[in-house]
Amino acid sequence: MDAFDAWEAAPARPAGGLAARAMPGAPRDAAPAPYLDDLNPPQREAVETLDGPVLVLAGAGTGKTKALTTRLAHLLTTRRAWPSQILAVTFTNKAAREMRDRTGRLLGHDAEGMPWLGTFHSVNVKILRRHAELVGLKSTFTILDTDDQIRLIKQLIQAEGVDDKRWPARMFASMLDRWKNRAITPDKVPADEGGYANNRGAEFYGLYQERLRTLNAVDFGDLLMHAVTLFRENEDVLKEYQERFRYILVDEYQDTNVAQYLWLRLLAGKHRNICCVGDDDQSIYGWRGAEVGNILRFEKDFPGAKVIRLEQNYRSTSHILAAASGLIAANKDRLGKTLWTAEEGGEKVRLIGHWDGDEEARWIGEKIEGLRTGAHRNRHNPRSKSFEQELDRLAKHGLGRPTRQEFVRQAFESGSAYTDVKVQNLLRRLLKSDLKASNMYQSVLASPVDRFSLNEIAILVRASFQMRAFEDRFLQIGLPYRVIGGPRFYERMEIRDAMAYFRVAVSPDDGLAFERIMNTPKRGVGDKANQALQRYARDNGLTLFEAARAAGAGAVDGVGGKAARELGRLVAQFDDWHRFTQGTAVSTGSGVERIDHVALAERILDESGYTAMWQNDKSPEAPGRLENLKELVGSLEEFENLQGFLEHVALIMDNETEEGTPKVSIMTLHAAKGLEFPAIFLPGWEDGLFPSQRSMDESGMKGLEEERRLAYVGVTRAETHATISFAANRQMYGRWQSSLPSRFIDELPEDHVEVLTPPGLYGHQGGQPGGLDAAGAGLHAGPLAGSALEAKAVDANAYNSPGWRRLAQRRGQHQLSQPREVRNLVIDAQAVAKFEEGTRVFHQKFGYGAVTAMEGDKLTVAFEKAGTKKVLAAYLTEAGGAGAAPDDVPF
DNA sequence: CATCAGAATGTTTTT
DNA sequence: CATTCTGATG
């Protein structure tokens, strides 16, 4: 047993152990906590300023989570509060889990006894269940998701005889969202926002809320709004919680909406020990109700607030940081921070322009191959420190036990590449118990210095349609990738259907769930029968389920023959299943039976014909769907019963991304917030796409600033390598669009950017040797030879991706198109010199036209067929005489 | 009531 | 281009 194991085995530093020494009011330094040594001065201040309101402005990569979790641990070890007296809220389950895990690690034991650590939503569910009757609900209320919500609105629209084409349900749903985000109840709807259905917006809102109440249900927005109402209208309840929460911690404060803000202000009213951590420069959710104003206004809301800035960045190299800082400096509405780093040198942010989106994807594919094989230039990679240096650092710390653990963890978390066996063993032992961490750890082990694991590379796009080009390309060359943030597991149709079955089995009066599945699989119960049932239920004060029972007995007009028979059968089945969910023994034809919930779930899916439905379906998705159903049933094992499972799932819409073979991550910029990668590619920096035209049209300057923050978030995800690119032409919705480089590119400080020249003729000079080889091999192997090699490279779940299906469909149809000639992009004065106003020009995609205006190297051209466009001079050729129409034009 | 062909319509996303 | 929704047929 070495020192390390000894530390692990030694009694953890329990909260209780220090209790005797650090009574409230006792000098704080009486118990010097080891974790404090790991903090820089402002971080330490953020952790130790426990009393009064604190705003921690934590720039990207400055150790925000570390400060937050250490503060939490500190509150506990110094016995400032019991775990149950601390409210700690996040936005996502993932963030909540991370906070719990990391705090537990600091404490040396599980932080399980923290009942009020969770998402805004989960905390409020807990509160509302306790006081449901005060807001007109029963404590067993169900939580509707977006799908149920839409269905409910549609019913409402229909019942009110409103034209749902003129006033779509989705439109009303987003209005609801906007109101609830601001905690606006039906009676408070501003006059100019109630325009829905000819000024019946507020009325509809009221009807909708009434309907929810009769269903004993809430939507996501209600969770917060009801809580605010609860506190506003019940002083005693508010008092109770104000007393309870001696300390409040808020993560990602810049993302809070008005309702969340009000909620926090109410709860912090007594002790005022509220600590909000956020970064105004990373506020990218304005479009869904987040108010940057909340963070900008903090000091006014909480007079005497202490503002602490975390500005030392531990993630990125100096060039990357400088590029990001230069960019964000163009924003006006910000509190202002000056990020700095101790890491000198590093590579500049690279910038490259391409002819079109496909070439951009091809080029990035090659670069990734280069990074993976170590063929990239690696002039000064500050992360490639030798193990000896690290040992020196260890020794300096005198092998202090917690320091050493923290050190190894940090080394590991920063993604450093260690090849030395000793370190590997150390890591192995340390991380043995930590499953989540061990995936990352394996990627560290798998990557010798100067090479990148694919897990360390990410492509961040503005809009999801951009992912397509990459998926297509990577499938062709067999580069493993993973798309993050696609449709989530619990949002898939088959999962929602199955869950609806479970919901009805558990509570037959769940009308929305019953409506969802009563005709899935097809039972001959169509729209007409549904309407009749709804009407019958309403008229007789019955649930939909009971109406269906009546229909089965032939008592409902308009539901006859097959539909009635099938409904009767279904109702009888549900009666059986329901009895099983009650845990009682059920007498069936074959005697008395009692089955567990997993078996019951299987049985429900089989007996209802749902499984069979997908088995008979021969669409390419069907096998995947069956697979998902199996997974769903499997995941039931972890729960006591179906009830428990459903309760859990309503709020957990996570999809665990299983690690396996290393893969490149492709995701939107939004999805990337909070993550970091050694190497980042940022494609599609074109005006109109990024910044997005729509964003600017809808929100003007505010929209542009949010887009710029998004750019800032993107660049700051990178540790050592950041590559920005743009394409002159891009296929969007089947049409070719040409565009100009993003204005954000002009805003990047020149000193920190290296402009790359795109490769010349494809397959000749230029590019990275390793990359070209790999890419070449992919192309020359023919259209996805389906070889074992490729099957290995692209793992099983990639077969389910849209990209793969497209490829599979195309396979055999055409040969892959020949690599097109790519011309040099020379964006300079020379290119412009050839043209003047009136010059007849040719453009590869738009054909012939005449120059009508010039602005630098950006020309406005009136094309004969394609209309007037702005185009870079480099993409135009003179079309004065013959020979101007090259015969190598594709198509 | 199911099925299919044609039209409409395309950011960013968590709970 | 590709998916989703609508409305006209069987």
mmCIF file of all heavy atoms in Angstrom, chain A residues 93 121 462 464 488 526 528 668 692, chain B residues 1-3 10-15:
data_model
loop_
_atom_site.group_PDB
_atom_site.id
_atom_site.type_symbol
_atom_site.label_atom_id
_atom_site.label_comp_id
_atom_site.label_asym_id
_atom_site.label_seq_id
_atom_site.Cartn_x
_atom_site.Cartn_y
_atom_site.Cartn_z
ATOM 1 N N ASN A 93 -29.535 18.429 -15.521
ATOM 2 C CA ASN A 93 -29.254 17.310 -14.635
ATOM 3 C C ASN A 93 -27.779 16.981 -14.618
ATOM 4 O O ASN A 93 -27.223 16.611 -13.598
ATOM 5 C CB ASN A 93 -30.043 16.090 -15.095
ATOM 6 C CG ASN A 93 -31.527 16.283 -14.874
ATOM 7 O OD1 ASN A 93 -31.951 16.524 -13.753
ATOM 8 N ND2 ASN A 93 -32.295 16.208 -15.933
ATOM 9 N N HIS A 121 -35.953 22.844 -11.886
ATOM 10 C CA HIS A 121 -37.195 22.123 -12.037
ATOM 11 C C HIS A 121 -37.364 21.030 -10.985
ATOM 12 O O HIS A 121 -38.421 20.917 -10.374
ATOM 13 C CB HIS A 121 -37.299 21.548 -13.445
ATOM 14 C CG HIS A 121 -37.394 22.622 -14.484
ATOM 15 N ND1 HIS A 121 -38.590 23.070 -14.960
ATOM 16 C CD2 HIS A 121 -36.440 23.365 -15.085
ATOM 17 C CE1 HIS A 121 -38.371 24.050 -15.830
ATOM 18 N NE2 HIS A 121 -37.071 24.238 -15.928
ATOM 19 N N ARG A 462 -23.009 26.099 -36.004
ATOM 20 C CA ARG A 462 -24.053 27.014 -35.574
ATOM 21 C C ARG A 462 -25.428 26.355 -35.650
ATOM 22 O O ARG A 462 -26.255 26.484 -34.766
ATOM 23 C CB ARG A 462 -24.016 28.267 -36.455
ATOM 24 C CG ARG A 462 -25.153 29.263 -36.270
ATOM 25 C CD ARG A 462 -25.088 29.909 -34.890
ATOM 26 N NE ARG A 462 -26.218 29.535 -34.064
ATOM 27 C CZ ARG A 462 -27.291 30.252 -33.870
ATOM 28 N NH1 ARG A 462 -27.397 31.442 -34.415
ATOM 29 N NH2 ARG A 462 -28.261 29.827 -33.123
ATOM 30 N N SER A 464 -27.804 22.819 -36.907
ATOM 31 C CA SER A 464 -27.600 21.383 -37.045
ATOM 32 C C SER A 464 -27.507 20.897 -38.495
ATOM 33 O O SER A 464 -26.904 19.867 -38.746
ATOM 34 C CB SER A 464 -28.665 20.605 -36.278
ATOM 35 O OG SER A 464 -29.917 21.148 -36.510
ATOM 36 N N ARG A 488 -33.242 13.113 -28.180
ATOM 37 C CA ARG A 488 -32.910 12.413 -26.954
ATOM 38 C C ARG A 488 -33.703 11.122 -26.829
ATOM 39 O O ARG A 488 -34.786 10.978 -27.377
ATOM 40 C CB ARG A 488 -33.191 13.319 -25.760
ATOM 41 C CG ARG A 488 -32.088 14.285 -25.491
ATOM 42 C CD ARG A 488 -32.532 15.328 -24.492
ATOM 43 N NE ARG A 488 -33.564 16.157 -25.035
ATOM 44 C CZ ARG A 488 -33.312 17.161 -25.869
ATOM 45 N NH1 ARG A 488 -32.097 17.429 -26.219
ATOM 46 N NH2 ARG A 488 -34.295 17.887 -26.339
ATOM 47 N N GLY A 526 -59.946 5.984 -35.189
ATOM 48 C CA GLY A 526 -59.413 7.152 -35.874
ATOM 49 C C GLY A 526 -59.877 8.445 -35.261
ATOM 50 O O GLY A 526 -60.336 8.484 -34.117
ATOM 51 N N LYS A 528 -62.381 10.318 -35.917
ATOM 52 C CA LYS A 528 -63.808 10.438 -35.629
ATOM 53 C C LYS A 528 -64.152 9.774 -34.294
ATOM 54 O O LYS A 528 -64.842 10.346 -33.450
ATOM 55 C CB LYS A 528 -64.613 9.787 -36.758
ATOM 56 C CG LYS A 528 -65.843 10.583 -37.146
ATOM 57 C CD LYS A 528 -66.604 9.921 -38.280
ATOM 58 C CE LYS A 528 -67.331 8.704 -37.801
ATOM 59 N NZ LYS A 528 -67.889 7.868 -38.877
ATOM 60 N N THR A 668 -23.681 21.313 -31.838
ATOM 61 C CA THR A 668 -23.920 22.734 -32.028
ATOM 62 C C THR A 668 -23.124 23.515 -30.985
ATOM 63 O O THR A 668 -22.718 22.982 -29.959
ATOM 64 C CB THR A 668 -25.399 23.097 -31.831
ATOM 65 O OG1 THR A 668 -25.749 22.808 -30.483
ATOM 66 C CG2 THR A 668 -26.277 22.326 -32.796
ATOM 67 N N SER A 692 -26.275 34.392 -37.389
ATOM 68 C CA SER A 692 -27.448 33.954 -38.114
ATOM 69 C C SER A 692 -28.329 35.138 -38.501
ATOM 70 O O SER A 692 -28.576 36.037 -37.707
ATOM 71 C CB SER A 692 -28.233 32.970 -37.256
ATOM 72 O OG SER A 692 -29.576 33.359 -37.141
ATOM 73 P P DC B 1 -62.968 6.312 -37.555
ATOM 74 O OP1 DC B 1 -62.359 5.994 -36.268
ATOM 75 O OP2 DC B 1 -63.012 7.686 -37.968
ATOM 76 O "O5'" DC B 1 -62.158 5.529 -38.689
ATOM 77 C "C5'" DC B 1 -61.939 4.146 -38.508
ATOM 78 C "C4'" DC B 1 -60.892 3.709 -39.491
ATOM 79 O "O4'" DC B 1 -61.315 4.045 -40.829
ATOM 80 C "C3'" DC B 1 -59.532 4.383 -39.291
ATOM 81 O "O3'" DC B 1 -58.542 3.357 -39.391
ATOM 82 C "C2'" DC B 1 -59.414 5.357 -40.451
ATOM 83 C "C1'" DC B 1 -60.245 4.654 -41.527
ATOM 84 N N1 DC B 1 -60.854 5.575 -42.525
ATOM 85 C C2 DC B 1 -60.697 5.292 -43.883
ATOM 86 O O2 DC B 1 -60.070 4.281 -44.219
ATOM 87 N N3 DC B 1 -61.246 6.132 -44.788
ATOM 88 C C4 DC B 1 -61.922 7.207 -44.381
ATOM 89 N N4 DC B 1 -62.449 8.002 -45.308
ATOM 90 C C5 DC B 1 -62.096 7.506 -42.993
ATOM 91 C C6 DC B 1 -61.550 6.680 -42.106
ATOM 92 P P DA B 2 -57.078 3.593 -39.050
ATOM 93 O OP1 DA B 2 -56.621 2.542 -38.127
ATOM 94 O OP2 DA B 2 -56.912 5.009 -38.704
ATOM 95 O "O5'" DA B 2 -56.400 3.324 -40.467
ATOM 96 C "C5'" DA B 2 -56.449 2.004 -40.999
ATOM 97 C "C4'" DA B 2 -55.882 1.990 -42.392
ATOM 98 O "O4'" DA B 2 -56.638 2.910 -43.219
ATOM 99 C "C3'" DA B 2 -54.421 2.435 -42.490
ATOM 100 O "O3'" DA B 2 -53.771 1.582 -43.404
ATOM 101 C "C2'" DA B 2 -54.503 3.874 -42.987
ATOM 102 C "C1'" DA B 2 -55.759 3.816 -43.871
ATOM 103 N N9 DA B 2 -56.468 5.086 -43.972
ATOM 104 C C8 DA B 2 -56.844 5.906 -42.948
ATOM 105 N N7 DA B 2 -57.498 6.969 -43.338
ATOM 106 C C5 DA B 2 -57.559 6.840 -44.713
ATOM 107 C C6 DA B 2 -58.115 7.633 -45.713
ATOM 108 N N6 DA B 2 -58.758 8.775 -45.470
ATOM 109 N N1 DA B 2 -57.993 7.217 -46.997
ATOM 110 C C2 DA B 2 -57.362 6.071 -47.238
ATOM 111 N N3 DA B 2 -56.796 5.223 -46.379
ATOM 112 C C4 DA B 2 -56.929 5.679 -45.125
ATOM 113 P P DT B 3 -52.209 1.583 -43.538
ATOM 114 O OP1 DT B 3 -51.757 0.190 -43.551
ATOM 115 O OP2 DT B 3 -51.663 2.548 -42.560
ATOM 116 O "O5'" DT B 3 -52.007 2.195 -44.995
ATOM 117 C "C5'" DT B 3 -52.938 1.879 -46.038
ATOM 118 C "C4'" DT B 3 -52.664 2.809 -47.209
ATOM 119 O "O4'" DT B 3 -53.493 3.995 -47.099
ATOM 120 C "C3'" DT B 3 -51.219 3.303 -47.286
ATOM 121 O "O3'" DT B 3 -50.711 3.044 -48.580
ATOM 122 C "C2'" DT B 3 -51.309 4.792 -47.015
ATOM 123 C "C1'" DT B 3 -52.722 5.119 -47.464
ATOM 124 N N1 DT B 3 -53.327 6.300 -46.783
ATOM 125 C C2 DT B 3 -54.012 7.232 -47.550
ATOM 126 O O2 DT B 3 -54.136 7.156 -48.743
ATOM 127 N N3 DT B 3 -54.538 8.277 -46.824
ATOM 128 C C4 DT B 3 -54.459 8.480 -45.463
ATOM 129 O O4 DT B 3 -54.973 9.448 -44.938
ATOM 130 C C5 DT B 3 -53.728 7.466 -44.737
ATOM 131 C C7 DT B 3 -53.566 7.594 -43.263
ATOM 132 C C6 DT B 3 -53.197 6.434 -45.416
ATOM 133 P P DG B 10 -40.956 27.113 -41.232
ATOM 134 O OP1 DG B 10 -40.226 26.501 -40.055
ATOM 135 O OP2 DG B 10 -42.087 27.964 -40.999
ATOM 136 O "O5'" DG B 10 -39.934 27.953 -42.217
ATOM 137 C "C5'" DG B 10 -38.557 27.624 -42.334
ATOM 138 C "C4'" DG B 10 -38.212 26.433 -41.545
ATOM 139 O "O4'" DG B 10 -38.550 25.225 -42.301
ATOM 140 C "C3'" DG B 10 -36.768 26.313 -41.189
ATOM 141 O "O3'" DG B 10 -36.643 25.959 -39.825
ATOM 142 C "C2'" DG B 10 -36.146 25.312 -42.138
ATOM 143 C "C1'" DG B 10 -37.339 24.640 -42.779
ATOM 144 N N9 DG B 10 -37.341 24.746 -44.245
ATOM 145 C C8 DG B 10 -37.873 25.739 -44.996
ATOM 146 N N7 DG B 10 -37.765 25.521 -46.274
ATOM 147 C C5 DG B 10 -37.114 24.304 -46.361
ATOM 148 C C6 DG B 10 -36.720 23.540 -47.493
ATOM 149 O O6 DG B 10 -36.889 23.819 -48.683
ATOM 150 N N1 DG B 10 -36.087 22.351 -47.137
ATOM 151 C C2 DG B 10 -35.876 21.945 -45.846
ATOM 152 N N2 DG B 10 -35.250 20.788 -45.695
ATOM 153 N N3 DG B 10 -36.246 22.632 -44.787
ATOM 154 C C4 DG B 10 -36.851 23.799 -45.119
ATOM 155 P P DT B 11 -35.381 25.436 -39.044
ATOM 156 O OP1 DT B 11 -34.070 25.250 -39.652
ATOM 157 O OP2 DT B 11 -35.956 24.402 -38.172
ATOM 158 O "O5'" DT B 11 -35.382 26.718 -38.207
ATOM 159 C "C5'" DT B 11 -34.374 27.594 -38.091
ATOM 160 C "C4'" DT B 11 -33.030 27.021 -37.672
ATOM 161 O "O4'" DT B 11 -32.181 28.109 -37.391
ATOM 162 C "C3'" DT B 11 -33.019 26.178 -36.382
ATOM 163 O "O3'" DT B 11 -31.881 25.358 -36.401
ATOM 164 C "C2'" DT B 11 -32.930 27.251 -35.324
ATOM 165 C "C1'" DT B 11 -31.935 28.172 -35.977
ATOM 166 N N1 DT B 11 -32.106 29.571 -35.548
ATOM 167 C C2 DT B 11 -33.384 30.040 -35.299
ATOM 168 O O2 DT B 11 -34.350 29.377 -35.390
ATOM 169 N N3 DT B 11 -33.435 31.323 -34.908
ATOM 170 C C4 DT B 11 -32.399 32.200 -34.737
ATOM 171 O O4 DT B 11 -32.565 33.350 -34.393
ATOM 172 C C5 DT B 11 -31.089 31.637 -35.017
ATOM 173 C C7 DT B 11 -29.911 32.466 -34.878
ATOM 174 C C6 DT B 11 -31.017 30.372 -35.402
ATOM 175 P P DT B 12 -31.634 24.251 -35.391
ATOM 176 O OP1 DT B 12 -30.591 23.403 -35.982
ATOM 177 O OP2 DT B 12 -32.871 23.660 -34.842
ATOM 178 O "O5'" DT B 12 -30.997 25.112 -34.226
ATOM 179 C "C5'" DT B 12 -29.640 24.920 -33.879
ATOM 180 C "C4'" DT B 12 -29.311 25.738 -32.668
ATOM 181 O "O4'" DT B 12 -29.831 27.059 -32.835
ATOM 182 C "C3'" DT B 12 -29.965 25.227 -31.387
ATOM 183 O "O3'" DT B 12 -29.042 24.392 -30.740
ATOM 184 C "C2'" DT B 12 -30.216 26.489 -30.583
ATOM 185 C "C1'" DT B 12 -30.034 27.627 -31.560
ATOM 186 N N1 DT B 12 -31.236 28.493 -31.664
ATOM 187 C C2 DT B 12 -31.075 29.852 -31.592
ATOM 188 O O2 DT B 12 -29.982 30.371 -31.427
ATOM 189 N N3 DT B 12 -32.218 30.583 -31.701
ATOM 190 C C4 DT B 12 -33.495 30.097 -31.884
ATOM 191 O O4 DT B 12 -34.438 30.865 -31.969
ATOM 192 C C5 DT B 12 -33.597 28.668 -31.963
ATOM 193 C C7 DT B 12 -34.926 28.036 -32.182
ATOM 194 C C6 DT B 12 -32.478 27.942 -31.853
ATOM 195 P P DT B 13 -29.480 22.889 -30.479
ATOM 196 O OP1 DT B 13 -28.259 22.113 -30.418
ATOM 197 O OP2 DT B 13 -30.587 22.487 -31.373
ATOM 198 O "O5'" DT B 13 -30.109 23.011 -29.035
ATOM 199 C "C5'" DT B 13 -29.539 23.788 -28.021
ATOM 200 C "C4'" DT B 13 -30.388 23.576 -26.785
ATOM 201 O "O4'" DT B 13 -31.545 24.443 -26.850
ATOM 202 C "C3'" DT B 13 -30.915 22.161 -26.680
ATOM 203 O "O3'" DT B 13 -30.781 21.703 -25.361
ATOM 204 C "C2'" DT B 13 -32.380 22.250 -27.005
ATOM 205 C "C1'" DT B 13 -32.725 23.699 -26.667
ATOM 206 N N1 DT B 13 -33.741 24.200 -27.592
ATOM 207 C C2 DT B 13 -34.743 25.015 -27.114
ATOM 208 O O2 DT B 13 -34.815 25.344 -25.948
ATOM 209 N N3 DT B 13 -35.648 25.406 -28.051
ATOM 210 C C4 DT B 13 -35.666 25.076 -29.390
ATOM 211 O O4 DT B 13 -36.536 25.485 -30.123
ATOM 212 C C5 DT B 13 -34.584 24.224 -29.821
ATOM 213 C C7 DT B 13 -34.496 23.793 -31.238
ATOM 214 C C6 DT B 13 -33.690 23.840 -28.921
ATOM 215 P P DT B 14 -31.027 20.265 -24.976
ATOM 216 O OP1 DT B 14 -29.927 19.466 -25.496
ATOM 217 O OP2 DT B 14 -32.412 19.872 -25.285
ATOM 218 O "O5'" DT B 14 -30.884 20.303 -23.401
ATOM 219 C "C5'" DT B 14 -30.298 21.401 -22.728
ATOM 220 C "C4'" DT B 14 -31.217 21.749 -21.578
ATOM 221 O "O4'" DT B 14 -32.233 22.660 -22.044
ATOM 222 C "C3'" DT B 14 -31.970 20.535 -21.056
ATOM 223 O "O3'" DT B 14 -31.506 20.257 -19.753
ATOM 224 C "C2'" DT B 14 -33.440 20.916 -21.070
ATOM 225 C "C1'" DT B 14 -33.438 22.402 -21.360
ATOM 226 N N1 DT B 14 -34.516 22.820 -22.275
ATOM 227 C C2 DT B 14 -35.260 23.939 -21.958
ATOM 228 O O2 DT B 14 -35.062 24.587 -20.931
ATOM 229 N N3 DT B 14 -36.216 24.279 -22.864
ATOM 230 C C4 DT B 14 -36.517 23.613 -24.043
ATOM 231 O O4 DT B 14 -37.401 24.018 -24.771
ATOM 232 C C5 DT B 14 -35.712 22.453 -24.313
ATOM 233 C C7 DT B 14 -35.959 21.673 -25.564
ATOM 234 C C6 DT B 14 -34.767 22.117 -23.436
ATOM 235 P P DT B 15 -32.014 18.879 -19.093
ATOM 236 O OP1 DT B 15 -31.012 18.616 -18.059
ATOM 237 O OP2 DT B 15 -32.296 17.891 -20.133
ATOM 238 O "O5'" DT B 15 -33.358 19.276 -18.375
ATOM 239 C "C5'" DT B 15 -33.354 20.345 -17.437
ATOM 240 C "C4'" DT B 15 -34.765 20.646 -17.016
ATOM 241 O "O4'" DT B 15 -35.438 21.310 -18.101
ATOM 242 C "C3'" DT B 15 -35.591 19.407 -16.685
ATOM 243 O "O3'" DT B 15 -36.091 19.519 -15.361
ATOM 244 C "C2'" DT B 15 -36.741 19.405 -17.664
ATOM 245 C "C1'" DT B 15 -36.770 20.837 -18.167
ATOM 246 N N1 DT B 15 -37.213 20.968 -19.563
ATOM 247 C C2 DT B 15 -37.978 22.081 -19.899
ATOM 248 O O2 DT B 15 -38.272 22.937 -19.072
ATOM 249 N N3 DT B 15 -38.358 22.141 -21.199
ATOM 250 C C4 DT B 15 -38.073 21.219 -22.200
ATOM 251 O O4 DT B 15 -38.482 21.382 -23.329
ATOM 252 C C5 DT B 15 -37.263 20.095 -21.785
ATOM 253 C C7 DT B 15 -36.881 19.053 -22.777
ATOM 254 C C6 DT B 15 -36.878 20.034 -20.500
#
